Amino acid sequence: VSALLSAQWLAELEALRKRLRFDIRSRGGGNHLSKRKGASAEFLEHRAYAEGDDLRRLDWAVFARTGEPSIKLFRAEEDTCMRIFLDTSASLQFGTPPKFEVGRRIAAGIGYIALASSERAQVLSGADALAPMTSAARGRGGIARFMRELEGLSLKGRGDLSRCLQSARKAAHEKSVFVVLSDFFDAGPVLDALSALSGEGHTVVALQLLAHEEAHPTLHGDYTLVDSESGDELALTIDDESIDDYRRRLAALFANLQNVVRRTRGVALQVVGDASPPEVALRVLSTERHAVTARAPEHERVR
Amino acid sequence: VLHFSHPWGFALLGLAAPLIVLYILKIRKQRITVGSTWLWQLRERDLLARDPFRKFIAERSLLLQLLVLLVLATALAGPRLGDGGSPPPKTLAIVIDVSASMSATSSAGSRLELAKARAKRALEELPPGGQAMLVSAGATPRFLTGLEMNPLRLGAAIDALQGVDEIGDLPAAVGAAAERIRREPVPRLLVLSDGQTRENIRVSGVEVDNELVGEPANNVTLRAVDLNRTNDRRVEVFCVVEHHGNADFEGALTVQRNDRVLGLRTFRVAAGKQETLTLSIETPAEEATLKVAITSEGQRDALPQDSVAYVQVPRARKMTVVHASANHASWVGRALLADTNVDLQQLSPEQLSRVNIEPDAFVVTEGICPEQHAASIGMDWLVFAPAGETCADARLTREKGHIQTVTSWELTDPRLRFITFDDVHIGETALGTLSGARALVRSSKGALIFQGGDPSRTVTVVGFDPAKSDWPLRASFVIFMRNVTEYARTHRERLTSGAQAIGEPMRIPLPQNVTAVTSTLPDGTTQTLRAEGGLLLAPAPAKIGIYTYRWTTPLQGYVAVPVNLLSEREADLSQAPLSVTVERDAQGRVPARTASRANLLFAALGLLLVLLETSLFVHRRRAKP
């Protein structure tokens, strides 16, 4: 299917796909019954005939029994649209393997599950601004295009996640599941942007991609830290106290993410190190709050 | 309980202060790339300090390093472990190496001066009531003081101590000193040397502190000097130059006589190598003393004593031969005349006691034994068919009318080289019945040719007249005459130019009847010595140079003996720790451990801690930054 997904992962994703339940509806035609009225074979209710109604929908049996013309209404069928946003700022290059590669694989896994379930999936990306996007792919027939678009992504430079999310919200005219893959190391109003998505009825799944040394820093001593995204330097004396402080801030950031996405019936997860797409999908389904961790091999630890 | 020989070793603990400073001093920060510095930035405001020091944290690595420092300082302080703490010695024997290598100098002074300073410090450390003695270790041990409690006398003896150009025998001195103090209360031996002694020194029942003084140094030495007179006017000087050092040495080899340079040759010798050099120089025919010296302009030689050697040039090869015979045209006379390397002086037997003969002449007589006429003349004798009952410690028995056939002869004697006595028949002869003499050629009846027992000269006695045998018709007769002449020449040269080992008493053969000899040492001092029986026993030379022995009666003469160092052991100025083994004595006294062993114990512990530090901290930080 794609170089991003191995055969083993595909088999595991197929099994997981059957457990997916999408409550969010996009108002587009699909396989899921909707609360809205529509043209499916599922009866919903009767109402009195009004001038202009389609006579083909008149329930003749009711009319014969009551003498009052009644129109037969049916439920609509809708699908689910997965909008998968992958942060392409340069900071995603950090880690072993790079967080960008991990994120791309997870996006491929989630997209595959959606498309194989005859839903729609759309690739969104951006660093400092939302990148041009194509329409959402649909069904198994759209898997190839979806994967090509993912494989074509590359890292750009400095990032502005909140701006990207705001642009994505404006471009989304129908409710969807918004999957955001990023490290969320952004000083901008990212939480506000996520709240805005919630306000418009989107379900948000926030996956925070972290390198192992970001989740568990072991530095000790005097360092000049160089920001991999901006190149900014920061002279710092790192001791046990400052490590604890860093951990508190990281935990607070994640807790805020959880609070925001919880209002959207979504889920926030930390993906540390090299996590496989099936693992992450399983975590999303089980809605467990704690992070999915994949222990990095010894030789891959950052010095 | 520990006692410390060198408490100043704890000065090493002063390094603890800079070590701690290094821990709190902010070093140049390590650059490391992180995904984002965003989460670290607020922390920066808390920790970004402007001052060069940071908060002191007692890290485990620092504690371990301080421990290493403490252990090494203890090792340097010379701890002594012993029964009940090994009290300070009450009896101290200080053995100071005074061998030639102790004269080597460095920027701190000569090794001997350093040893003397250390000895004085050791005296200061003696407890009240303690006694000490001083032993110098030259070629033979010398007790410079007895056990002495007066520090002033001991200090004066140390001040008076002078180095000698001898090859030291440290084990003998240590053994003698240990034996002297072994039964004294709380004895201890302090050995101060420069580490030239390679053999193990075994000591019984006495604690030993051995300390090296000085520092390793480069040295260029004359390992061997010899010469050969090629003719009356030229002499070839052979030298072996050896270089103990770590870089090539370039210098010049000069041969001087009375401060006038007769020959010079430049050379280059690699470190640790030898170079053989030959100089051909022009000298007069008479005897002469030559000084061979190594000089270098740029490179420093730590031990000048072994860069100089003295050699005595023998007189020209023409040796004075006195032929005393009634018939100078005899076979013997003709054989002597055929030798162009001799000055032949022909005398009658009566003239032998009347004519002034050179003391080192080779005297050949026919029909008489010189000891009956003039016992003191000449240096070597060759006697044919002596008259009388005795000659040269041998009693003579006449055999007339019997043809003697040679039954055996000494194949190894230089006088009988290349000679065979097959088919030699001898008529009338005087057979020697020997007491102190040694037979050279034998018949079935007795010795035909023998060597006399005179220690001061070589006396070769041929008991028969060659004219009464068919020996002169054989080639062996002429070869014998040549051999005996060369033998006498060799003997004469050895007397004048043979080298004398330094540090050993000299045995100098002199003409008989010489009783009073005046010796002149290289520093110009003179003393009168007594000779007896043609032999002079002179005191062992302590300095290199020419030792001259003169006598005036019965006839004037002198012997010059060059004394050189030429020792490989003294020339090698690299230092190696002395190997001292302390044994229990017969009374079962417990020998205390030497300070050096405790030093090693602490040094090993320090090394172990360094390894622990390396494995715990250096390795771990690399693996997990």
Side-chain angles (χ1 to χ4, degrees):
Chain A
V1 175
S2 167
L4 296 172
L5 297 173
S6 68
Q8 184 189 348
W9 288 352
L10 282 174
E12 292 176 18
L13 288 169
E14 276 295 333
L16 285 170
R17 182 176 68 82
K18 297 187 173 76
R19 295 176 57 189
L20 268 183
R21 189 182 73 249
F22 297 103
D23 290 338
I24 193 76
R25 298 294 174 248
S26 65
R27 296 186 181 178
N31 296 331
H32 303 286
L33 285 172
S34 169
K35 290 177 181 175
R36 290 194 298 115
K37 303 174 184 71
S40 74
E42 184 84 10
F43 172 75
L44 178 63
E45 63 180 346
H46 287 98
R47 72 165 168 80
Y49 172 78
E51 191 176 332
D53 283 342
D54 189 351
L55 286 177
R56 285 178 296 180
R57 294 193 175 183
L58 200 66
D59 191 340
W60 295 104
V62 171
F63 180 60
R65 197 163 53 244
T66 63
E68 291 293 324
S70 297
I71 295 295
K72 200 175 181 178
L73 297 176
F74 296 89
R75 299 185 75 162
E77 281 189 330
E78 293 177 320
D79 64 355
T80 299
C81 183
M82 305 281 285
R83 289 193 167 86
I84 303 172
F85 176 83
L86 180 57
D87 187 356
T88 56
S89 62
S91 66
L92 272 289
Q93 183 61 39
F94 189 69
T96 309
K99 295 185 283 183
F100 178 67
E101 291 303 323
V102 176
R104 201 150 61 157
R105 287 203 296 256
I106 293 171
I110 293 173
Y112 177 84
I113 288 176
L115 293 171
S117 305
S118 300
E119 310 294 348
R120 284 184 292 148
Q122 186 181 19
V123 176
L124 303 176
S125 68
D128 57 341
L130 190 66
M133 53 191 174
T134 59
S135 60
R138 180 193 289 278
R140 285 188 180 272
I143 290 177
R145 178 164 71 88
F146 179 85
M147 295 299 171
R148 272 201 306 276
E149 288 178 13
L150 268 183
E151 288 168 5
L153 294 182
S154 60
L155 295 172
K156 291 293 190 298
R158 298 186 75 134
D160 188 347
L161 184 59
S162 59
R163 185 181 170 195
C164 291
L165 292 177
Q166 284 165 6
S167 301
R169 178 177 60 79
K170 288 174 186 170
H173 301 298
E174 53 197 5
K175 290 186 199 172
S176 58
V177 178
F178 243 99
V179 180
V180 183
L181 292 148
S182 172
D183 53 13
F184 295 96
F185 291 158
D186 194 304
V190 176
L191 296 176
D192 293 343
L194 290 174
S195 296
L197 284 172
S198 163
E200 295 196 359
H202 298 285
T203 295
V204 178
V205 175
L207 300 178
Q208 187 179 24
L209 305 173
L210 295 175
H212 198 277
E213 49 270 42
E214 287 175 332
H216 309 290
T218 55
L219 299 176
H220 206 276
D222 293 330
Y223 291 95
T224 298
L225 303 182
V226 181
D227 192 308
S228 64
E229 185 173 305
S230 63
D232 293 343
E233 294 185 356
L234 180 65
L236 198 60
T237 300
I238 301 178
D239 53 11
D240 291 342
E241 193 182 343
S242 55
I243 293 281
D244 291 343
D245 192 66
Y246 172 89
R247 284 182 175 146
R248 275 198 298 274
R249 291 176 200 283
L250 184 62
L253 173 64
F254 183 64
N256 288 336
L257 275 178
Q258 280 181 316
N259 288 337
V260 171
V261 301
R262 201 171 284 153
R263 291 201 292 269
T264 71
R265 298 163 59 211
V267 62
L269 292 178
Q270 278 184 333
V271 180
V272 179
D274 189 9
S276 73
E279 278 176 359
V280 178
L282 186 63
R283 291 293 176 191
V284 172
L285 288 174
S286 61
T287 64
E288 288 181 11
R289 298 298 182 206
H290 57 75
V292 178
T293 57
R295 185 176 170 76
E298 193 74 20
H299 67 274
E300 291 181 4
R301 291 179 183 176
V302 176
R303 296 178 192 282
Chain B
V1 183
L2 281 177
H3 293 269
F4 298 100
S5 305
H6 323 295
W8 46 264
F10 283 109
L12 191 68
L13 289 177
L15 288 178
L19 181 66
I20 293 171
V21 168
L22 284 177
Y23 265 78
I24 60 174
L25 191 66
K26 282 187 174 176
I27 56 171
R28 187 183 173 189
K29 294 179 179 62
Q30 186 182 348
R31 288 174 65 87
I32 188 166
T33 301
V34 295
S36 172
T37 55
W38 181 54
L39 287 180
W40 294 104
Q41 279 180 347
L42 293 177
R43 187 69 205 163
E44 175 201 19
R45 284 198 289 276
D46 299 332
L47 292 181
L48 188 61
R50 297 294 180 208
D51 65 298
F53 296 101
R54 60 179 176 171
K55 190 171 74 175
F56 175 72
I57 302 165
E59 297 182 27
R60 275 175 297 176
S61 63
L62 172 61
L63 296 177
L64 203 54
Q65 284 162 7
L66 289 175
L67 189 60
V68 168
L69 209 56
L70 179 65
V71 168
L72 290 181
T74 308
L76 205 62
R80 291 195 307 271
L81 303 168
D83 47 337
S86 184
K90 287 185 178 170
T91 307
L92 180 68
I94 304 173
V95 179
I96 300 182
D97 186 357
V98 294
S99 64
S101 60
M102 290 292 283
S103 304
T105 55
S106 63
S107 54
S110 77
R111 293 177 175 186
L112 185 61
E113 292 302 323
L114 295 174
K116 287 160 78 172
R118 174 65 187 97
K120 285 185 175 176
R121 283 203 307 276
L123 291 179
E124 291 167 4
E125 292 167 7
L126 269 180
Q131 53 183 354
M133 62 184 290
L134 195 63
V135 181
S136 72
T140 53
R142 285 182 61 208
F143 287 80
L144 303 178
T145 65
L147 279 171
E148 179 66 64
M149 297 179 75
N150 187 340
L152 292 178
R153 286 187 199 156
L154 288 164
I158 292 173
D159 287 335
L161 189 60
Q162 287 190 334
V164 292
D165 296 339
E166 297 174 354
I167 302 165
D169 187 356
L170 197 58
V174 171
E179 187 59 32
R180 173 67 185 83
I181 64 168
R182 200 155 60 93
R183 290 178 179 80
E184 299 294 331
V186 198
R188 182 184 290 277
L189 208 56
L190 174 61
V191 182
L192 302 171
S193 79
D194 58 353
Q196 304 306 111
T197 303
R198 301 292 192 257
E199 64 259 46
N200 183 41
I201 301 175
R202 302 185 77 84
V203 179
S204 172
V206 179
E207 282 189 20
V208 178
D209 291 333
N210 67 74
E211 296 183 18
L212 295 184
V213 293
E215 54 196 30
N218 294 341
N219 187 32
V220 180
T221 177
L222 278 167
R223 281 285 292 120
V225 178
D226 200 358
L227 55 79
N228 177 40
R229 184 184 275 282
T230 51
N231 56 42
D232 290 349
R233 304 203 59 79
R234 295 204 76 81
V235 165
E236 281 186 332
V237 181
F238 305 97
C239 299
V240 177
V241 177
E242 193 171 72
H243 180 25
H244 298 271
N246 47 23
D248 292 358
F249 180 88
E250 285 184 23
L253 184 76
T254 59
V255 178
Q256 305 168 30
R257 183 185 179 204
N258 299 332
D259 294 330
R260 192 167 65 88
V261 175
L262 301 179
L264 182 146
R265 179 169 170 190
T266 60
F267 66 93
R268 180 188 182 89
V269 57
K273 301 288 184 189
Q274 288 185 346
E275 194 71 35
T276 303
L277 305 170
T278 305
L279 273 83
S280 179
I281 57 170
E282 194 168 320
T283 58
E286 70 266 20
E287 261 182 29
T289 298
L290 299 182
K291 178 183 176 186
V292 182
I294 298 171
T295 57
S296 173
E297 288 189 353
Q299 287 164 284
R300 183 173 173 276
D301 189 9
L303 189 62
Q305 286 92 326
D306 63 357
S307 301
V308 176
Y310 297 89
V311 285
Q312 191 76 358
V313 181
R315 192 177 296 186
R317 285 182 65 81
K318 280 201 173 181
M319 181 174 60
T320 302
V321 177
V322 175
H323 181 207
S325 172
N327 176 17
H328 291 120
S330 65
W331 288 107
V332 175
R334 280 190 269 173
L336 291 173
L337 274 174
D339 190 345
T340 56
N341 281 329
V342 300
D343 275 338
L344 189 61
Q345 188 178 0
Q346 294 179 326
L347 301 174
S348 66
E350 295 74 29
Q351 287 177 308
L352 202 57
S353 57
R354 296 202 298 269
V355 174
N356 196 7
I357 295 173
E358 289 186 24
D360 58 351
F362 176 39
V363 178
V364 181
T365 63
E366 290 185 88
I368 58 169
C369 189
E371 66 185 8
Q372 296 161 359
H373 294 78
S376 63
I377 62 164
M379 184 173 291
D380 301 295
W381 297 343
L382 173 60
V383 182
F384 285 93
E389 296 296 315
T390 60
C391 183
D393 282 356
R395 195 162 56 79
L396 302 175
T397 311
R398 306 289 163 189
E399 286 287 335
K400 294 184 178 177
H402 298 283
I403 301 300
Q404 301 288 327
T405 306
V406 175
T407 54
S408 66
W409 62 93
E410 291 290 328
L411 292 170
T412 55
D413 192 276
R415 285 162 287 190
L416 302 181
R417 269 187 306 196
F418 315 119
I419 286 180
T420 174
F421 286 94
D422 294 341
D423 297 332
V424 173
H425 304 93
I426 299 158
E428 184 180 328
T429 182
L431 294 171
T433 302
L434 311 178
S435 55
R438 182 167 69 92
L440 299 175
V441 179
R442 305 172 196 87
S443 72
S444 57
K445 296 283 181 64
L448 293 169
I449 302 176
F450 56 90
Q451 177 183 314
D454 190 339
S456 63
R457 56 166 64 93
T458 61
V459 180
T460 310
V461 181
V462 179
F464 55 90
D465 184 356
K468 294 180 180 175
S469 72
D470 55 1
W471 191 26
L473 304 179
R474 315 277 183 236
S476 61
F477 176 73
V478 180
I479 298 172
F480 173 78
M481 290 299 294
R482 225 10 122 73
N483 281 350
V484 175
T485 310
E486 285 302 312
Y487 189 68
R489 197 193 307 278
T490 306
H491 181 209
R492 190 179 64 149
E493 289 177 0
R494 183 174 298 139
L495 184 62
T496 55
S497 67
Q500 165 70 34
I502 195 162
E504 294 178 4
M506 290 200 275
R507 292 168 56 86
I508 302 164
L510 300 177
Q512 293 287 343
N513 301 332
V514 172
T515 54
V517 176
T518 303
S519 73
T520 306
L521 276 53
D523 58 4
T525 57
T526 59
Q527 63 184 124
T528 303
L529 304 171
R530 293 199 62 78
E532 194 171 345
L535 190 67
L536 172 68
L537 287 170
K543 292 282 182 186
I544 64 167
I546 295 286
Y547 288 71
T548 310
Y549 301 91
R550 297 181 183 278
W551 60 91
T552 53
T553 54
L555 297 170
Q556 193 171 345
Y558 80 99
V559 173
V561 181
V563 174
N564 300 314
L565 185 54
L566 306 179
S567 163
E568 181 178 11
R569 183 205 285 179
E570 298 298 328
D572 184 2
L573 297 182
S574 63
Q575 293 186 315
L578 285 180
S579 168
V580 180
T581 305
V582 180
E583 301 169 335
R584 288 172 185 274
D585 63 2
Q587 282 72 39
R589 291 186 189 178
V590 181
R593 277 166 279 180
T594 59
S596 60
R597 288 184 187 171
N599 286 354
L600 285 177
L601 191 70
F602 276 88
L605 184 61
L607 185 64
L608 202 65
L609 289 172
V610 168
L611 289 175
L612 183 67
E613 158 97 13
T614 307
S615 63
L616 277 182
F617 297 101
V618 178
H619 181 65
R620 204 177 68 173
R621 285 195 174 177
R622 281 187 179 176
K624 197 160 74 176

